[in-house]
Amino acid sequence: MQNLANNSYQVISPARINLIGEHIDYNGGSVLPAAIDLNIKIKIYKRNSNLWKVTSDSQSKDFIRKLNDYSLSSILWHNYIIGVIFEINQIKPKIISGFIARIKSEIPIGIGISSSAALTCGLASGLNKLFNLRLTQFQIINISRNAEHKFAGVKCGFLDQYAVLKSKKNNFLHLNCFNLKLSYIPVNLKDYEFLLLNSNVKHSLSESEYNNRVLETQNGFNIIRKFYPQTPYLCSVSLSEIESIESEFSKKIYKRMLFSVNENNRVNEAVSALKVNDLAKVGKLMYESHKDLNELFEVSCDEINYLVGLSKKSGLVLGSRMIGGGFGGCTLNLIKKVHKEKFIKFISKNYYQKYHLKLEAFAVSISKSLTVRKL
């Protein structure tokens, strides 16, 4: 452990929310994510040995590997680490020697605010500094995304990685996931704030229906291309074009197509609403998004639907919807600050009475992107 502090860095890597634009990043859609003030902190040091070692305060089993051992682990979080190191090695072969990383996390795992992207982008950024790799931001984004695809088995788009690495305080990131053009949409919530409600229904994206939805939408797009061959990506299709070939789809695939187009249109509406600070419109779009996520894309669950429905019934919330991959996790709620405590008490009591599960509430602020500093 001697001399570790002579070459060491701390990474602060944020979680994220996504206002509108769920499950369309992998089909070229536009999204509205933002980093939030829940973070993973990684302290990373060089080590004069032939081992990589990563410890985490939220995980019981440390990651310890000999250099250049990229075999998959039976422990899922280890595979994110392996994936990052492997992908860096494809760009900068055999530069990464022994290191120790220590992780402390404020981000609950598996609730839909992208703890995995915070981890992969954070580790890649820390290694970039530690070994002076001179990786570009886009290379780090690709490294992190490839780690998810190849080593964790989640066929995600670019939403999470861009949110972690490109966010600005008090702005939503308006990202077109087809051409990766981005702009920033300032947000002034005034007397309102975002509240996350953790259902404590756990989901694992790699074991859920997430990849099935990727495949279903790809299959639907292949049908569209037969009739509209110039269409570059699914979310560029118009609703009228989808409706004109409804008979070509199965009922299930048709619902997936309707959702993808509707959700992409909602993003554009939300951008317009944010520009004139029409938070009531934003809230309405959130509720519409959840309805379609449940009925057309079928990625919600009873507990999450109950929370969204109860938020609407309370009259205290402008908008609510599931967030993340689905099948559990969090709802995102837009609420007036003065109503927050009353609402949390009301919804927690009712949720426990119905499901015998405790609800966790997190008020979050729109924050800045990942930072790295020398220790």
Side-chain angles (χ1 to χ4, degrees):
M1 294 291 292
Q2 292 181 351
N3 299 322
L4 292 181
N6 292 336
N7 198 346
S8 56
Y9 291 86
Q10 182 179 61
V11 184
I12 300 177
S13 188
R16 64 100 186 101
I17 57 173
N18 184 34
L19 183 63
I20 297 282
E22 211 67 75
H23 275 283
I24 58 174
D25 58 331
Y26 50 78
N27 284 308
S30 291
V31 293
L32 275 175
I36 56 175
D37 56 344
L38 293 175
N39 299 287
I40 285 176
K41 295 179 180 178
I42 306 173
K43 290 183 178 180
I44 189 164
Y45 314 83
K46 279 190 178 178
R47 174 176 178 155
N48 295 322
S49 77
N50 66 341
L51 293 176
W52 300 317
K53 182 177 180 180
V54 183
T55 66
S56 172
D57 66 347
S58 63
Q59 302 289 342
S60 59
K61 294 188 177 181
D62 296 348
F63 170 82
I64 302 175
R65 279 289 175 93
K66 289 185 177 180
L67 301 187
N68 303 313
D69 178 2
Y70 302 112
S71 57
L72 286 175
S73 171
S74 60
I75 301 171
L76 180 59
W77 81 276
H78 288 185
N79 290 326
Y80 291 104
I81 306 295
I82 297 163
V84 167
I85 301 170
F86 175 84
E87 291 298 324
I88 290 176
N89 190 61
Q90 304 309 295
I91 303 171
K92 304 283 185 177
K94 297 183 179 179
I95 290 180
I96 299 177
S97 58
F99 71 85
I100 297 174
R102 299 191 179 105
I103 300 170
K104 288 190 175 182
S105 180
E106 303 169 340
I107 307 173
I109 296 169
I111 68 169
I113 56 175
S114 202
S115 57
S116 60
L119 172 61
T120 53
C121 291
L123 181 63
S125 297
L127 292 171
N128 183 44
K129 284 289 189 181
L130 191 67
F131 293 102
N132 194 27
L133 302 176
R134 301 180 186 273
L135 296 169
T136 66
Q137 230 177 20
F138 189 66
Q139 283 176 316
I140 291 173
I141 286 169
N142 271 319
I143 285 164
S144 301
R145 182 171 176 263
N146 287 344
E148 295 252 17
H149 279 223
K150 299 176 186 178
F151 289 82
V154 181
K155 304 300 182 183
C156 61
F158 283 107
L159 186 159
D160 296 340
Q161 294 78 21
Y162 265 81
V164 172
L165 286 160
K166 294 282 193 179
S167 286
K168 287 184 180 180
K169 188 175 177 63
N170 295 326
N171 281 261
F172 279 102
L173 181 65
H174 185 206
L175 174 67
N176 181 311
C177 293
F178 177 70
N179 58 28
L180 300 181
K181 290 183 178 179
L182 63 89
S183 59
Y184 293 95
I185 311 299
V187 59
N188 180 6
L189 295 178
K190 294 185 178 179
D191 298 328
Y192 289 83
E193 64 184 336
F194 287 111
L195 181 70
L196 292 170
L197 295 177
N198 179 13
S199 68
N200 277 309
V201 177
K202 300 296 183 183
H203 67 279
S204 172
L205 294 184
S206 60
E207 297 173 358
S208 74
E209 291 291 310
Y210 187 100
N211 289 340
N212 284 344
R213 295 302 182 276
V214 176
L215 183 60
E216 288 166 357
T217 52
Q218 287 174 344
N219 289 341
F221 182 55
N222 289 338
I223 294 170
I224 292 168
R225 286 293 295 267
K226 292 178 183 178
F227 296 88
Y228 300 99
Q230 303 305 314
T231 304
Y233 56 98
L234 172 56
C235 287
S236 66
V237 182
S238 70
L239 190 58
S240 62
E241 287 171 336
I242 294 289
E243 292 172 340
S244 72
I245 55 173
E246 178 181 354
S247 61
E248 302 296 324
F249 303 109
S250 68
K251 183 178 179 180
K252 179 172 69 175
I253 298 300
Y254 181 61
K255 289 197 294 185
R256 307 296 189 253
M257 299 298 96
L258 287 179
F259 168 79
S260 300
V261 173
N262 287 341
E263 186 75 351
N264 194 63
N265 290 339
R266 274 189 287 269
V267 172
N268 296 327
E269 290 185 65
V271 168
S272 298
L274 286 171
K275 286 181 177 178
V276 296
N277 212 38
D278 187 350
L279 297 182
K281 175 67 171 179
V282 171
K284 181 174 179 288
L285 291 168
M286 291 172 70
Y287 278 124
E288 289 176 3
S289 175
H290 182 79
K291 184 174 185 292
D292 279 4
L293 282 160
N294 180 47
E295 296 177 3
L296 297 180
F297 220 62
E298 299 175 290
V299 290
S300 190
C301 64
D302 289 345
E303 295 90 346
I304 293 294
N305 291 340
Y306 179 76
L307 290 175
V308 172
L310 203 58
S311 76
K312 199 168 191 177
K313 185 179 178 181
S314 75
L316 302 174
V317 175
L318 279 184
S320 178
R321 72 175 190 88
M322 62 153 274
I323 188 171
F327 309 101
C330 273
T331 63
L332 177 67
N333 303 268
L334 180 56
I335 186 169
K336 205 163 191 176
K337 291 177 184 178
V338 295
H339 297 325
K340 180 178 67 177
E341 296 305 323
K342 179 181 178 182
F343 173 66
I344 292 172
K345 185 177 180 180
F346 162 77
I347 201 164
S348 297
K349 178 182 177 181
N350 282 273
Y351 185 66
Y352 186 81
Q353 286 177 344
K354 186 169 181 63
Y355 293 106
H356 300 287
L357 289 169
K358 289 187 176 180
L359 203 62
E360 291 180 288
F362 306 88
V364 296
S365 299
I366 297 175
S367 189
K368 61 184 180 180
S369 61
L370 177 150
T371 59
V372 185
R373 67 179 180 87
K374 193 170 180 62
L375 287 172

